[in-house]
Amino acid sequence: MEEGTSKSPSHCEVTYADGASGDQDPFQWDTREDCEVRQILDRVADKWSLLVIALLDRRKLRFSELRREIDGISQRMLTVTLRQLERDGVVKRTVHPVVPPRVDYELTPLGGTLHTTIRSLVLWTELHQNEIAAARQAYDAKEAAEAEATPV
């Protein structure tokens, strides 16, 4: 079991963006010891999980197909990522009783709802990538100018 992961689900009051829940502080989810929201966000928002979820939205894939499609992922990291997503109910693993064994991975209905959210994030990124690139360029130019103006 991953360090810091509770063995049983715990209750965590939902905090809405408009503050509609009983919580007064919308950032409480980050600090409450009995709330697993941060752990879940850490898991589903990491780069490997996002790529696996995106690829499995299209169809069922075998481990080797996923590994081929995800540039730079190690066999161990893909194994760990798939296990974590399966444990969280996002990915379903099916072992077919054939020789050699064949294992397929697919999104669960819960994983499908997560992919919808990820698609929105990707769309936002695509729509604003030029603005972000311009902001980065302006920031880097400002930092370079300040570094030149600072005496050594």
Side-chain angles (χ1 to χ4, degrees), residues 64-75:
S64 58
E65 294 171 315
L66 283 164
R67 181 131 187 248
R68 247 190 325 271
E69 292 289 326
I70 303 174
D71 188 39
I73 194 167
S74 68
Q75 181 172 336

Side-chain angles (χ1 to χ4, degrees), residues 5 16 21 23 48 58 60 77 88 100 128:
T5 302
Y16 298 97
S21 77
D23 286 347
W48 301 125
R58 297 185 219 147
K60 293 180 187 179
M77 183 51 67
D88 290 342
H128 298 284

Side-chain angles (χ1 to χ4, degrees), residues 134-144:
R136 288 177 177 173
Q137 188 175 18
Y139 179 91
D140 292 346
K142 179 183 168 197
E143 288 291 307

Side-chain angles (χ1 to χ4, degrees), residues 32-91:
R32 270 182 278 173
E33 291 179 23
D34 65 338
C35 183
E36 296 183 13
V37 172
R38 179 154 187 186
Q39 292 173 9
I40 295 167
L41 286 172
D42 287 346
R43 168 109 63 253
V44 299
D46 76 66
K47 70 177 180 179
W48 301 125
S49 294
L50 290 172
L51 291 169
V52 167
I53 293 164
L55 286 169
L56 291 177
D57 183 57
R58 297 185 219 147
R59 60 188 165 100
K60 293 180 187 179
L61 291 171
R62 296 176 72 175
F63 184 92
S64 58
E65 294 171 315
L66 283 164
R67 181 131 187 248
R68 247 190 325 271
E69 292 289 326
I70 303 174
D71 188 39
I73 194 167
S74 68
Q75 181 172 336
R76 182 185 186 303
M77 183 51 67
L78 181 56
T79 299
V80 168
T81 300
L82 287 166
R83 283 185 186 158
Q84 290 173 339
L85 291 172
E86 182 182 10
R87 180 173 181 249
D88 290 342
V90 174
V91 167

